[in-house]
Amino acid sequence: ISGLLDHWQDGMVKLALISRTLALRKSHPALFAEGAYEPLEVAGTRENHLCAFARRRGSESVVVAVPRLVAALDAEPGWGDTIVRLPPASAQRRRNVLTGAIVDSAERDGSAVREAAHVFAQFPLALLVPMDQR
C-alpha cells in the first residue's frame, strides 16, 4: 500500500485502505460488532496529533492509530518522541494489516509502548493485529 502513496490522487490508496479494512472486519466480525472499545494514551511532542484506540474481544484485538490535525503540523515531518501506550497484556509484536510491516513494542515507564515514528514509517494509518491473528 505504501507504493500507492506516490500516486495518491488516483484514488487507489483509498480503495486499498477500504479493501484491507473491510477484509479484516469480515474475518473478525465479532471483534468489530461486540469488541470493547479502549482509548489508548498518547504521549510526547505530537500527542495532540495522534488518535489511538483498541478493540478487544477475547483473544482477538486490533489497535487503530491515525494522525489528526495534520494541517497544523510543522513543515518538518516526524513524530519525535510521540508514543502510544498499549493496554496491559497486549501482544509484543503486531502486524500492520495495511502494510504487512511488523511493529514491535518497547518497554517504557513500566508499560508497553509503540513509537509513532515506527507505527507510521510506511503509511500514515495503522491497523495493528497480533502476529498470530489473521
Side-chain angles (χ1 to χ4, degrees):
I1 200 169
S2 59
L4 297 175
L5 290 175
D6 295 336
H7 309 287
W8 63 269
Q9 300 92 336
D10 66 7
M12 292 304 292
V13 173
K14 184 177 180 179
L15 182 62
L17 173 65
I18 291 169
S19 174
R20 291 177 190 185
T21 303
L22 289 176
L24 178 64
R25 183 178 171 176
K26 183 178 181 180
S27 65
H28 301 281
L31 172 63
F32 286 90
E34 303 164 9
Y37 168 83
E38 300 176 29
L40 299 178
E41 178 188 350
V42 177
T45 309
R46 297 195 170 191
E47 65 187 32
N48 293 326
H49 295 281
L50 198 157
C51 177
F53 65 91
R55 295 284 299 211
R56 294 165 52 93
R57 183 177 183 274
S59 64
E60 296 180 310
S61 68
V62 63
V63 170
V64 178
V66 297
R68 63 183 290 269
L69 305 172
V70 293
L73 290 172
D74 302 334
E76 192 66 34
W79 288 96
D81 63 349
T82 307
I83 54 130
V84 176
R85 198 167 307 281
L86 302 172
S90 185
Q92 294 299 311
R93 299 190 86 204
R94 288 186 174 253
R95 178 181 51 85
N96 188 339
V97 172
L98 302 175
T99 65
I102 305 306
V103 181
D104 292 316
S105 61
E107 186 75 21
R108 192 173 297 167
D109 300 327
S111 63
V113 299
R114 290 207 164 70
E115 295 177 1
H118 188 62
V119 170
F120 299 130
Q122 294 181 342
F123 193 71
L125 302 168
L127 295 175
L128 305 172
V129 298
M131 289 296 295
D132 60 351
Q133 181 178 308
R134 292 278 166 211

